[in-house]
Amino acid sequence: MSGVVYLVGSGPGGLGLLTYRAREVIDAAEVILYDQLPGEEILSTLPASAEKIDCGKYGGAHTLSQEEIERLMVDRAKQGRRVVRLKGGDPFVFGRGGEEMEVLREHNITVEVVPGITSAIAVPGCAGIPVTHRSFASQVTFLTGHEDPKKEESAIDWGWLAQSPGTIVILMGVKNLGQITASLIAHGMKSDKPVAIIERGFRPDQQVTIGTLADITTGAQAAGVKPPAIIVIGEVVSLYRDGSEGAWSRGQ
Ligand code: SAH
């Protein structure tokens, strides 16, 4: 028996944005390997009968190593059990879902991908910031801010990015915010470019910090910005209005 693993995205937080298919496969799961990013509202509804394995915090910082997670997933699937690997947002957007699919394929385990609503689009959206807009942005770039831009062999071309038009959406960028903004300015991006940081989107304690490329780092420090947060850089940020988070931020 080789079993099946569902690579499931939970959406950006909250039951309302979990897909119908995700709910079906979660409810039928015999084993669930979950990250913390889906949030308490979803994690508290995992079926009591399933074996539940906590894989840890956001994105990179797991309590189990990536190898350990993959080993457990393969092991449980080979027992012929229905396994769900539950991740925040979409499983293939900065969630190592692609790597996990490759490992499962190597072991001839059936994989079903259940896409989720990615925080990269939905979290700016819930703060009233569209990632594209005919007047402001016809292009969006998504990137991980996990990498220090000063690193010699950066996988990100900061020079190109600083010159490119449109919106930049950064995930996992809080820690390196100072280096990221400095690098974009050094490569020629206007220092008055609007920036928004949205922390804990779709949670009752969502918080938005607005600034410019030049002052957002100081602003973020003053506001005590912490992960998980989405950083949006570009003219679309000018559409933000205080309070446009609406019902989500009030937990309704
Ligand atoms: N696969 C996920 C991203 C995983 S990387 C997705 O598609 O959304 C983890 C990063 O996602 C966090 O560091 C943060 O930048 C972002 N993130 C996920 N959910 C978020 C939320 N509800 N509010 C703010 N940022 C979030």
Side-chain angles (χ1 to χ4, degrees):
M1 281 200 286
S2 65
V4 54
V5 174
Y6 299 89
L7 287 177
V8 181
S10 73
L15 286 166
L17 295 177
L18 187 75
T19 66
Y20 188 81
R21 182 63 183 154
R23 182 79 268 168
E24 274 183 345
V25 300
I26 289 168
D27 289 346
E30 291 165 298
V31 181
I32 304 178
L33 296 108
Y34 63 93
D35 289 350
Q36 286 297 329
L37 195 57
E40 195 43 40
E41 193 179 323
I42 290 172
L43 296 179
S44 64
T45 68
L46 303 184
S49 58
E51 178 192 2
K52 291 178 279 295
I53 303 171
D54 181 358
C55 298
K57 292 207 91 184
Y58 323 115
H62 284 98
T63 42
L64 294 178
S65 70
Q66 184 63 22
E67 293 68 34
E68 187 68 3
I69 295 167
E70 288 165 4
R71 195 189 61 71
L72 285 165
M73 212 166 51
V74 167
D75 174 77
R76 297 302 189 272
K78 286 196 166 164
Q79 292 170 1
R81 296 158 81 189
R82 271 195 309 274
V83 179
V84 162
R85 173 75 179 102
L86 183 64
K87 293 168 176 291
D90 182 90
F92 284 171
V93 178
F94 301 126
R96 304 189 78 164
E99 290 161 55
E100 293 175 12
M101 177 178 70
E102 287 183 292
V103 170
L104 295 164
R105 282 179 176 166
E106 276 165 28
H107 289 269
N108 292 320
I109 294 163
T110 306
V111 182
E112 180 182 316
V113 178
V114 181
I117 298 177
T118 181
S119 65
I121 297 171
V123 168
C126 80
I129 301 172
V131 294
T132 74
H133 186 293
R134 279 170 66 100
S135 309
F136 301 114
S138 300
Q139 174 181 315
V140 194
T141 309
F142 300 106
L143 61 131
T144 168
H146 203 58
E147 236 183 45
D148 183 340
K150 286 194 300 231
K151 210 175 82 180
E152 282 291 312
E153 297 122 43
S154 173
I156 291 161
D157 184 342
W158 295 94
W160 173 85
L161 201 61
Q163 301 298 330
S164 66
T167 308
I168 299 173
V169 178
I170 306 176
L171 289 81
M172 297 179 280
V174 172
K175 197 169 120 252
N176 289 329
L177 181 65
Q179 290 94 308
I180 291 168
T181 52
S183 178
L184 289 172
I185 292 172
H187 284 101
M189 188 176 267
K190 278 176 32 228
S191 60
D192 62 354
K193 183 79 83 179
V195 182
I197 305 179
I198 307 115
E199 294 169 79
R200 300 177 299 279
F202 299 97
R203 313 277 157 87
D205 55 348
Q206 174 175 307
Q207 178 174 297
V208 182
T209 306
I210 302 285
T212 63
L213 213 48
D215 67 18
I216 192 70
T217 307
T218 320
Q221 268 159 8
V225 167
K226 289 189 296 294
I230 295 284
I231 302 165
V232 186
I233 303 175
E235 306 306 330
V236 289
V237 170
S238 65
L239 290 162
Y240 173 76
R241 296 287 176 275
D242 202 11
S244 60
E245 300 90 330
W248 293 107
S249 63
R250 298 192 296 273
Q252 291 164 4

